[in-house]
Amino acid sequence: MSKAQREAVHQLVRETPLDFTADLTDTRVLFGQLQTATPLSCDVQLTESTLGDIPVVEIDIAGIDTGDVVLYFHGGGYAVGSASGGAGLASDIARRAHARAIAVEYRLAPEHPHPAATDDALAAYRALLDSGVPPERIAFAGESAGGGLVLATLLNAKRAGLPQPRAAIVMSPWVDLTNTRASRATRAAADPALTPRDLEACAAYYAGTADPADPLVSPLFGDLEGLPPLLIQVGSDEILLDDAIDFAARAASSDVSVQLDVTPEVPHVFQGMAAILDEAVQALDRAGAFLRSQFGVEEHGTERSGQRPTQRELADHTDLEALYTSKLARTLDAGGLLRHDRDTADPRAILHGVTGGAAEPGVSFGAV
């Protein structure tokens, strides 16, 4: 049913437009609602905290108690989004990596243009190191603008003389704020989420008076030598396709260990649609396997190896009433893709014909 799943995802994204050229107050509210459209798994605990002076959200998963940490940067064009809003995707990755996650609440543009976000990200990483977590137990992860911030922070850490983390994962990264990649035009018709106009608006908000080609604004143009192993995931139906491809090529030319993972016919940050898209689950599984291999975590032999949770675990950790009242469920219901047999033996089987098995909790949406 993968084709039906992809069509459902494209419909959902197209019917939920985000206008980054309008009043950002309204866009921030809508984006926050989309990020939290489906509740987190009940075994995920969020705690507001700080790293140094930087606000963060600590993301802990019951049964996972290791020293490995995923430092997570949310997307939103550097202008919208929040650490708590990104917790769904962060927890999906952390669960599979058998790690805990910390999402960074970096300052947003246009109120706080560059270098606010990169300063906050570096300060959070420095404070995490100062807390006693060794760099080899840390991985960075982020989606969209947060993926770009991951890569900019790696460059910034190198400039500051800090050790690199063990590895980094970026999903649909925005790495060229000059917006000169060819896919801005060649993939525009296929992309249901982003437009070149969105990227131009967000680039202006974030760069401010800075040169958009500055490597800490557009990490594509940085010196990539010495970066840690990278996993770059992207969908073919997005205008940021060439950001991922070109960054991977430049990283490889700089002798960086890099894996480029392109999934056909899926949109921007498709990993956030794991509840209804098999390709999203598979991509998250590959991300988890990548981090486990980097952290040296055995796939078997621990109580929770970071593998995808079982159907029963998902059933136990999902609030079905919240799922049924979510934007996701309403959209699928309109398309005839949602079953109404709430008393089914497997409560997570409600997504009929869309999921190829148990669905994932915590659908989250990414943009820019």
Side-chain angles (χ1 to χ4, degrees), residues 20 23-24 44 46 58 60 92 106 153 164 184 197 228 236 290 305 326 335 349:
F20 288 91
D23 183 353
L24 284 178
V44 176
L46 306 185
E58 297 180 356
D60 293 291
D92 284 344
Y106 58 87
T153 304
Q164 293 289 298
R184 301 292 190 273
R197 191 164 167 253
S236 69
F290 172 78
S305 67
S326 71

Side-chain angles (χ1 to χ4, degrees), residues 297-354:
V297 175
E298 293 293 334
E299 187 168 345
H300 302 289
T302 58
E303 182 180 355
R304 297 180 70 93
S305 67
Q307 294 294 308
R308 185 182 178 193
T310 66
Q311 266 194 344
R312 179 47 50 197
E313 287 174 322
L314 291 171
D316 291 343
H317 296 313
T318 301
D319 181 340
L320 293 183
E321 286 299 324
L323 179 64
Y324 264 81
T325 57
S326 71
K327 167 71 178 178
L328 170 66
R330 292 197 303 273
T331 301
L332 292 176
D333 192 27
L337 297 170
L338 190 64
R339 278 173 52 184
H340 291 274
D341 51 339
R342 297 193 190 191
D343 296 328
T344 180
D346 176 12
R348 290 302 295 161
I350 58 174
L351 294 176
H352 175 60
V354 179

Side-chain angles (χ1 to χ4, degrees), residues 136-161:
E136 62 270 18
R137 306 300 295 274
I138 300 170
F140 290 178
E143 97 274 4
S144 197
L149 186 55
V150 162
L151 300 170
T153 304
L154 295 177
L155 297 177
N156 210 11
K158 185 167 68 166
R159 287 188 183 185

Side-chain angles (χ1 to χ4, degrees), residues 12 34-39 272-276 323 328 360-365:
L12 177 61
L34 293 175
Q35 281 190 307
T36 57
T38 304
M273 306 295 285
I276 58 172
L323 179 64
L328 170 66
E360 290 289 319
V363 175
S364 54
F365 295 73

